[in-house]
mmCIF file of all heavy atoms in Angstrom:
data_model
loop_
_atom_site.group_PDB
_atom_site.id
_atom_site.type_symbol
_atom_site.label_atom_id
_atom_site.label_comp_id
_atom_site.label_asym_id
_atom_site.label_seq_id
_atom_site.Cartn_x
_atom_site.Cartn_y
_atom_site.Cartn_z
ATOM 1 N N GLN A 181 1.842 -10.473 -20.722
ATOM 2 C CA GLN A 181 2.849 -10.904 -21.675
ATOM 3 C C GLN A 181 4.208 -11.078 -20.994
ATOM 4 O O GLN A 181 4.980 -11.976 -21.347
ATOM 5 C CB GLN A 181 2.965 -9.913 -22.828
ATOM 6 C CG GLN A 181 3.887 -10.369 -23.955
ATOM 7 C CD GLN A 181 3.401 -11.639 -24.623
ATOM 8 O OE1 GLN A 181 2.210 -11.757 -24.956
ATOM 9 N NE2 GLN A 181 4.287 -12.610 -24.799
ATOM 10 N N LEU A 182 4.502 -10.217 -20.013
ATOM 11 C CA LEU A 182 5.743 -10.383 -19.261
ATOM 12 C C LEU A 182 5.786 -11.754 -18.592
ATOM 13 O O LEU A 182 6.837 -12.415 -18.584
ATOM 14 C CB LEU A 182 5.878 -9.285 -18.204
ATOM 15 C CG LEU A 182 6.285 -7.902 -18.693
ATOM 16 C CD1 LEU A 182 6.183 -6.885 -17.559
ATOM 17 C CD2 LEU A 182 7.709 -7.911 -19.270
ATOM 18 N N LYS A 183 4.675 -12.185 -18.029
ATOM 19 C CA LYS A 183 4.650 -13.497 -17.397
ATOM 20 C C LYS A 183 4.850 -14.600 -18.423
ATOM 21 O O LYS A 183 5.534 -15.602 -18.143
ATOM 22 C CB LYS A 183 3.324 -13.690 -16.645
ATOM 23 C CG LYS A 183 3.253 -15.023 -15.890
ATOM 24 C CD LYS A 183 4.372 -15.138 -14.865
ATOM 25 C CE LYS A 183 4.403 -16.513 -14.221
ATOM 26 N NZ LYS A 183 5.525 -16.665 -13.269
ATOM 27 N N ARG A 184 4.286 -14.438 -19.612
ATOM 28 C CA ARG A 184 4.489 -15.447 -20.645
ATOM 29 C C ARG A 184 5.939 -15.460 -21.134
ATOM 30 O O ARG A 184 6.515 -16.523 -21.387
ATOM 31 C CB ARG A 184 3.533 -15.199 -21.819
ATOM 32 C CG ARG A 184 2.074 -15.489 -21.490
ATOM 33 C CD ARG A 184 1.211 -15.522 -22.743
ATOM 34 N NE ARG A 184 1.078 -14.201 -23.350
ATOM 35 C CZ ARG A 184 0.083 -13.357 -23.076
ATOM 36 N NH1 ARG A 184 -0.851 -13.701 -22.185
ATOM 37 N NH2 ARG A 184 0.004 -12.187 -23.694
ATOM 38 N N ASP A 185 6.536 -14.274 -21.239
ATOM 39 C CA ASP A 185 7.907 -14.200 -21.733
ATOM 40 C C ASP A 185 8.933 -14.599 -20.676
ATOM 41 O O ASP A 185 10.033 -15.058 -21.022
ATOM 42 C CB ASP A 185 8.219 -12.779 -22.216
ATOM 43 C CG ASP A 185 7.515 -12.437 -23.519
ATOM 44 O OD1 ASP A 185 7.042 -13.376 -24.200
ATOM 45 O OD2 ASP A 185 7.422 -11.241 -23.858
ATOM 46 N N PHE A 186 8.585 -14.396 -19.391
ATOM 47 C CA PHE A 186 9.500 -14.723 -18.297
ATOM 48 C C PHE A 186 8.781 -15.620 -17.283
ATOM 49 O O PHE A 186 8.473 -15.201 -16.159
ATOM 50 C CB PHE A 186 9.987 -13.447 -17.602
ATOM 51 C CG PHE A 186 10.697 -12.472 -18.498
ATOM 52 C CD1 PHE A 186 10.018 -11.385 -19.033
ATOM 53 C CD2 PHE A 186 12.036 -12.637 -18.813
ATOM 54 C CE1 PHE A 186 10.666 -10.468 -19.856
ATOM 55 C CE2 PHE A 186 12.696 -11.733 -19.644
ATOM 56 C CZ PHE A 186 12.015 -10.645 -20.165
ATOM 57 N N PRO A 187 8.479 -16.855 -17.657
ATOM 58 C CA PRO A 187 7.677 -17.727 -16.777
ATOM 59 C C PRO A 187 8.329 -18.032 -15.442
ATOM 60 O O PRO A 187 7.635 -18.381 -14.481
ATOM 61 C CB PRO A 187 7.497 -18.996 -17.620
ATOM 62 C CG PRO A 187 8.621 -18.972 -18.609
ATOM 63 C CD PRO A 187 8.853 -17.528 -18.915
ATOM 64 N N ASN A 188 9.637 -17.885 -15.357
ATOM 65 C CA ASN A 188 10.323 -18.186 -14.099
ATOM 66 C C ASN A 188 10.372 -16.992 -13.147
ATOM 67 O O ASN A 188 10.807 -17.133 -11.997
ATOM 68 C CB ASN A 188 11.748 -18.667 -14.376
ATOM 69 C CG ASN A 188 11.766 -19.988 -15.112
ATOM 70 O OD1 ASN A 188 10.907 -20.841 -14.899
ATOM 71 N ND2 ASN A 188 12.741 -20.162 -15.993
ATOM 72 N N LEU A 189 9.935 -15.820 -13.612
ATOM 73 C CA LEU A 189 9.885 -14.640 -12.753
ATOM 74 C C LEU A 189 8.521 -14.546 -12.079
ATOM 75 O O LEU A 189 7.521 -15.037 -12.599
ATOM 76 C CB LEU A 189 10.132 -13.363 -13.562
ATOM 77 C CG LEU A 189 11.491 -13.225 -14.242
ATOM 78 C CD1 LEU A 189 11.562 -11.887 -14.986
ATOM 79 C CD2 LEU A 189 12.636 -13.336 -13.241
ATOM 80 N N GLU A 190 8.497 -13.897 -10.923
ATOM 81 C CA GLU A 190 7.229 -13.594 -10.249
ATOM 82 C C GLU A 190 6.772 -12.223 -10.734
ATOM 83 O O GLU A 190 7.449 -11.220 -10.524
ATOM 84 C CB GLU A 190 7.411 -13.591 -8.733
ATOM 85 C CG GLU A 190 6.108 -13.346 -7.978
ATOM 86 C CD GLU A 190 6.285 -13.361 -6.471
ATOM 87 O OE1 GLU A 190 7.318 -12.860 -5.983
ATOM 88 O OE2 GLU A 190 5.388 -13.874 -5.777
ATOM 89 N N ILE A 191 5.626 -12.191 -11.403
ATOM 90 C CA ILE A 191 5.078 -10.958 -11.939
ATOM 91 C C ILE A 191 3.818 -10.598 -11.152
ATOM 92 O O ILE A 191 2.856 -11.371 -11.090
ATOM 93 C CB ILE A 191 4.736 -11.087 -13.441
ATOM 94 C CG1 ILE A 191 5.978 -11.511 -14.242
ATOM 95 C CG2 ILE A 191 4.158 -9.790 -13.963
ATOM 96 C CD1 ILE A 191 7.109 -10.503 -14.227
ATOM 97 N N ILE A 192 3.833 -9.419 -10.557
ATOM 98 C CA ILE A 192 2.714 -8.929 -9.749
ATOM 99 C C ILE A 192 2.149 -7.699 -10.450
ATOM 100 O O ILE A 192 2.895 -6.787 -10.820
ATOM 101 C CB ILE A 192 3.180 -8.583 -8.328
ATOM 102 C CG1 ILE A 192 3.719 -9.846 -7.639
ATOM 103 C CG2 ILE A 192 2.049 -7.964 -7.508
ATOM 104 C CD1 ILE A 192 4.424 -9.581 -6.326
ATOM 105 N N ILE A 193 0.850 -7.664 -10.642
ATOM 106 C CA ILE A 193 0.219 -6.588 -11.398
ATOM 107 C C ILE A 193 -0.366 -5.536 -10.456
ATOM 108 O O ILE A 193 -0.814 -5.843 -9.347
ATOM 109 C CB ILE A 193 -0.878 -7.154 -12.338
ATOM 110 C CG1 ILE A 193 -1.220 -6.174 -13.447
ATOM 111 C CG2 ILE A 193 -2.124 -7.567 -11.554
ATOM 112 C CD1 ILE A 193 -2.056 -6.791 -14.555
ATOM 113 N N ASN A 194 -0.355 -4.290 -10.907
ATOM 114 C CA ASN A 194 -0.827 -3.166 -10.100
ATOM 115 C C ASN A 194 -1.456 -2.128 -11.022
ATOM 116 O O ASN A 194 -1.073 -1.996 -12.173
ATOM 117 C CB ASN A 194 0.366 -2.556 -9.332
ATOM 118 C CG ASN A 194 0.044 -1.240 -8.657
ATOM 119 O OD1 ASN A 194 0.668 -0.227 -8.941
ATOM 120 N ND2 ASN A 194 -0.913 -1.233 -7.765
ATOM 121 N N GLY A 195 -2.457 -1.410 -10.487
ATOM 122 C CA GLY A 195 -3.047 -0.304 -11.225
ATOM 123 C C GLY A 195 -4.528 -0.472 -11.472
ATOM 124 O O GLY A 195 -4.932 -1.354 -12.223
ATOM 125 N N GLY A 196 -5.356 0.365 -10.825
ATOM 126 C CA GLY A 196 -6.783 0.402 -11.110
ATOM 127 C C GLY A 196 -7.578 -0.801 -10.649
ATOM 128 O O GLY A 196 -8.712 -0.993 -11.099
ATOM 129 N N ILE A 197 -7.048 -1.599 -9.762
ATOM 130 C CA ILE A 197 -7.732 -2.819 -9.319
ATOM 131 C C ILE A 197 -8.519 -2.499 -8.051
ATOM 132 O O ILE A 197 -7.959 -2.017 -7.059
ATOM 133 C CB ILE A 197 -6.711 -3.949 -9.079
ATOM 134 C CG1 ILE A 197 -5.956 -4.231 -10.371
ATOM 135 C CG2 ILE A 197 -7.411 -5.213 -8.563
ATOM 136 C CD1 ILE A 197 -4.674 -5.019 -10.194
ATOM 137 N N THR A 198 -9.831 -2.789 -8.084
ATOM 138 C CA THR A 198 -10.692 -2.329 -6.986
ATOM 139 C C THR A 198 -11.555 -3.409 -6.352
ATOM 140 O O THR A 198 -12.209 -3.136 -5.348
ATOM 141 C CB THR A 198 -11.624 -1.209 -7.489
ATOM 142 O OG1 THR A 198 -12.442 -1.719 -8.547
ATOM 143 C CG2 THR A 198 -10.829 -0.009 -7.993
ATOM 144 N N THR A 199 -11.596 -4.613 -6.921
ATOM 145 C CA THR A 199 -12.491 -5.640 -6.388
ATOM 146 C C THR A 199 -11.791 -6.976 -6.284
ATOM 147 O O THR A 199 -10.776 -7.240 -6.951
ATOM 148 C CB THR A 199 -13.739 -5.822 -7.277
ATOM 149 O OG1 THR A 199 -13.339 -6.405 -8.531
ATOM 150 C CG2 THR A 199 -14.448 -4.499 -7.524
ATOM 151 N N LEU A 200 -12.367 -7.845 -5.462
ATOM 152 C CA LEU A 200 -11.864 -9.206 -5.339
ATOM 153 C C LEU A 200 -12.019 -9.955 -6.655
ATOM 154 O O LEU A 200 -11.136 -10.733 -7.050
ATOM 155 C CB LEU A 200 -12.617 -9.934 -4.222
ATOM 156 C CG LEU A 200 -12.261 -11.409 -4.001
ATOM 157 C CD1 LEU A 200 -10.789 -11.575 -3.630
ATOM 158 C CD2 LEU A 200 -13.157 -12.017 -2.920
ATOM 159 N N GLU A 201 -13.108 -9.702 -7.355
ATOM 160 C CA GLU A 201 -13.346 -10.372 -8.630
ATOM 161 C C GLU A 201 -12.271 -10.005 -9.650
ATOM 162 O O GLU A 201 -11.774 -10.874 -10.388
ATOM 163 C CB GLU A 201 -14.732 -10.013 -9.157
ATOM 164 C CG GLU A 201 -15.897 -10.583 -8.352
ATOM 165 C CD GLU A 201 -16.092 -9.901 -7.008
ATOM 166 O OE1 GLU A 201 -15.671 -8.718 -6.857
ATOM 167 O OE2 GLU A 201 -16.645 -10.549 -6.094
ATOM 168 N N GLN A 202 -11.899 -8.739 -9.702
ATOM 169 C CA GLN A 202 -10.825 -8.322 -10.601
ATOM 170 C C GLN A 202 -9.510 -8.996 -10.208
ATOM 171 O O GLN A 202 -8.743 -9.448 -11.072
ATOM 172 C CB GLN A 202 -10.669 -6.801 -10.563
ATOM 173 C CG GLN A 202 -11.828 -6.042 -11.177
ATOM 174 C CD GLN A 202 -11.734 -4.544 -10.917
ATOM 175 O OE1 GLN A 202 -10.803 -4.066 -10.271
ATOM 176 N NE2 GLN A 202 -12.715 -3.797 -11.411
ATOM 177 N N THR A 203 -9.264 -9.052 -8.917
ATOM 178 C CA THR A 203 -8.047 -9.692 -8.427
ATOM 179 C C THR A 203 -7.970 -11.143 -8.878
ATOM 180 O O THR A 203 -6.943 -11.605 -9.398
ATOM 181 C CB THR A 203 -7.994 -9.616 -6.891
ATOM 182 O OG1 THR A 203 -7.925 -8.246 -6.487
ATOM 183 C CG2 THR A 203 -6.797 -10.370 -6.338
ATOM 184 N N GLN A 204 -9.052 -11.875 -8.691
ATOM 185 C CA GLN A 204 -9.070 -13.285 -9.076
ATOM 186 C C GLN A 204 -8.900 -13.454 -10.577
ATOM 187 O O GLN A 204 -8.253 -14.407 -11.040
ATOM 188 C CB GLN A 204 -10.367 -13.928 -8.589
ATOM 189 C CG GLN A 204 -10.438 -14.038 -7.063
ATOM 190 C CD GLN A 204 -11.798 -14.454 -6.563
ATOM 191 O OE1 GLN A 204 -12.825 -13.980 -7.056
ATOM 192 N NE2 GLN A 204 -11.819 -15.346 -5.574
ATOM 193 N N SER A 205 -9.451 -12.533 -11.366
ATOM 194 C CA SER A 205 -9.297 -12.592 -12.815
ATOM 195 C C SER A 205 -7.837 -12.396 -13.218
ATOM 196 O O SER A 205 -7.307 -13.126 -14.067
ATOM 197 C CB SER A 205 -10.177 -11.536 -13.475
ATOM 198 O OG SER A 205 -10.003 -11.528 -14.876
ATOM 199 N N HIS A 206 -7.167 -11.417 -12.603
ATOM 200 C CA HIS A 206 -5.755 -11.173 -12.918
ATOM 201 C C HIS A 206 -4.885 -12.367 -12.539
ATOM 202 O O HIS A 206 -3.903 -12.671 -13.235
ATOM 203 C CB HIS A 206 -5.259 -9.926 -12.192
ATOM 204 C CG HIS A 206 -5.761 -8.640 -12.772
ATOM 205 N ND1 HIS A 206 -5.577 -8.288 -14.091
ATOM 206 C CD2 HIS A 206 -6.443 -7.603 -12.196
ATOM 207 C CE1 HIS A 206 -6.104 -7.089 -14.310
ATOM 208 N NE2 HIS A 206 -6.646 -6.664 -13.178
ATOM 209 N N LEU A 207 -5.240 -13.044 -11.463
ATOM 210 C CA LEU A 207 -4.419 -14.164 -10.997
ATOM 211 C C LEU A 207 -4.455 -15.362 -11.942
ATOM 212 O O LEU A 207 -3.685 -16.306 -11.768
ATOM 213 C CB LEU A 207 -4.854 -14.583 -9.589
ATOM 214 C CG LEU A 207 -4.475 -13.588 -8.481
ATOM 215 C CD1 LEU A 207 -5.066 -14.009 -7.146
ATOM 216 C CD2 LEU A 207 -2.952 -13.458 -8.367
ATOM 217 N N LEU A 208 -5.320 -15.317 -12.931
ATOM 218 C CA LEU A 208 -5.292 -16.341 -13.970
ATOM 219 C C LEU A 208 -4.112 -16.131 -14.916
ATOM 220 O O LEU A 208 -3.741 -17.038 -15.671
ATOM 221 C CB LEU A 208 -6.602 -16.321 -14.776
ATOM 222 C CG LEU A 208 -7.888 -16.615 -13.999
ATOM 223 C CD1 LEU A 208 -9.098 -16.421 -14.910
ATOM 224 C CD2 LEU A 208 -7.862 -18.028 -13.418
ATOM 225 N N HIS A 209 -3.512 -14.920 -14.867
ATOM 226 C CA HIS A 209 -2.465 -14.564 -15.822
ATOM 227 C C HIS A 209 -1.126 -14.223 -15.177
ATOM 228 O O HIS A 209 -0.091 -14.332 -15.831
ATOM 229 C CB HIS A 209 -2.917 -13.364 -16.660
ATOM 230 C CG HIS A 209 -4.238 -13.558 -17.336
ATOM 231 N ND1 HIS A 209 -4.374 -14.260 -18.505
ATOM 232 C CD2 HIS A 209 -5.494 -13.156 -16.983
ATOM 233 C CE1 HIS A 209 -5.647 -14.286 -18.870
ATOM 234 N NE2 HIS A 209 -6.351 -13.620 -17.965
ATOM 235 N N VAL A 210 -1.158 -13.768 -13.921
ATOM 236 C CA VAL A 210 0.067 -13.351 -13.238
ATOM 237 C C VAL A 210 0.114 -13.990 -11.859
ATOM 238 O O VAL A 210 -0.813 -14.688 -11.436
ATOM 239 C CB VAL A 210 0.156 -11.813 -13.130
ATOM 240 C CG1 VAL A 210 0.318 -11.174 -14.500
ATOM 241 C CG2 VAL A 210 -1.066 -11.243 -12.413
ATOM 242 N N ASP A 211 1.207 -13.724 -11.131
ATOM 243 C CA ASP A 211 1.426 -14.401 -9.848
ATOM 244 C C ASP A 211 0.851 -13.674 -8.644
ATOM 245 O O ASP A 211 0.641 -14.282 -7.588
ATOM 246 C CB ASP A 211 2.932 -14.587 -9.627
ATOM 247 C CG ASP A 211 3.577 -15.371 -10.753
ATOM 248 O OD1 ASP A 211 3.237 -16.551 -10.911
ATOM 249 O OD2 ASP A 211 4.404 -14.791 -11.472
ATOM 250 N N GLY A 212 0.625 -12.385 -8.772
ATOM 251 C CA GLY A 212 0.140 -11.629 -7.634
ATOM 252 C C GLY A 212 -0.504 -10.335 -8.069
ATOM 253 O O GLY A 212 -0.383 -9.906 -9.224
ATOM 254 N N VAL A 213 -1.201 -9.715 -7.135
ATOM 255 C CA VAL A 213 -1.909 -8.459 -7.382
ATOM 256 C C VAL A 213 -1.578 -7.495 -6.253
ATOM 257 O O VAL A 213 -1.657 -7.853 -5.082
ATOM 258 C CB VAL A 213 -3.431 -8.681 -7.449
ATOM 259 C CG1 VAL A 213 -4.167 -7.353 -7.536
ATOM 260 C CG2 VAL A 213 -3.795 -9.580 -8.627
ATOM 261 N N MET A 214 -1.202 -6.285 -6.613
ATOM 262 C CA MET A 214 -1.008 -5.223 -5.617
ATOM 263 C C MET A 214 -2.158 -4.234 -5.740
ATOM 264 O O MET A 214 -2.444 -3.730 -6.832
ATOM 265 C CB MET A 214 0.319 -4.495 -5.823
ATOM 266 C CG MET A 214 0.492 -3.298 -4.884
ATOM 267 S SD MET A 214 2.060 -2.410 -5.110
ATOM 268 C CE MET A 214 3.139 -3.419 -4.094
ATOM 269 N N VAL A 215 -2.822 -3.968 -4.625
ATOM 270 C CA VAL A 215 -3.918 -3.003 -4.579
ATOM 271 C C VAL A 215 -3.477 -1.841 -3.705
ATOM 272 O O VAL A 215 -3.015 -2.051 -2.580
ATOM 273 C CB VAL A 215 -5.201 -3.647 -4.027
ATOM 274 C CG1 VAL A 215 -6.329 -2.617 -3.963
ATOM 275 C CG2 VAL A 215 -5.610 -4.843 -4.878
ATOM 276 N N GLY A 216 -3.604 -0.629 -4.212
ATOM 277 C CA GLY A 216 -3.156 0.544 -3.486
ATOM 278 C C GLY A 216 -4.285 1.371 -2.924
ATOM 279 O O GLY A 216 -4.763 1.132 -1.817
ATOM 280 N N ARG A 217 -4.775 2.309 -3.686
ATOM 281 C CA ARG A 217 -5.717 3.284 -3.161
ATOM 282 C C ARG A 217 -7.062 2.693 -2.764
ATOM 283 O O ARG A 217 -7.688 3.160 -1.829
ATOM 284 C CB ARG A 217 -5.875 4.430 -4.166
ATOM 285 C CG ARG A 217 -4.736 5.422 -3.968
ATOM 286 C CD ARG A 217 -4.436 6.300 -5.121
ATOM 287 N NE ARG A 217 -3.391 7.227 -4.720
ATOM 288 C CZ ARG A 217 -2.099 6.932 -4.606
ATOM 289 N NH1 ARG A 217 -1.693 5.701 -4.877
ATOM 290 N NH2 ARG A 217 -1.217 7.826 -4.214
ATOM 291 N N GLU A 218 -7.516 1.675 -3.449
ATOM 292 C CA GLU A 218 -8.789 1.074 -3.056
ATOM 293 C C GLU A 218 -8.678 0.440 -1.671
ATOM 294 O O GLU A 218 -9.608 0.514 -0.862
ATOM 295 C CB GLU A 218 -9.228 0.022 -4.077
ATOM 296 C CG GLU A 218 -10.620 -0.539 -3.828
ATOM 297 C CD GLU A 218 -11.731 0.484 -4.037
ATOM 298 O OE1 GLU A 218 -11.465 1.532 -4.672
ATOM 299 O OE2 GLU A 218 -12.862 0.225 -3.576
#
Side-chain angles (χ1 to χ4, degrees):
Q181 187 62 47
L182 284 172
K183 183 59 186 177
R184 290 192 291 268
D185 288 344
F186 301 98
N188 295 326
L189 297 181
E190 183 179 38
I191 303 296
I192 298 170
I193 199 168
N194 170 239
I197 300 163
T198 60
T199 68
L200 177 61
E201 291 72 24
Q202 291 171 0
T203 297
Q204 292 170 318
S205 177
H206 286 304
L207 288 174
L208 298 174
H209 306 279
V210 293
D211 302 295
V213 173
M214 175 180 276
V215 179
R217 277 159 176 76
E218 187 67 17

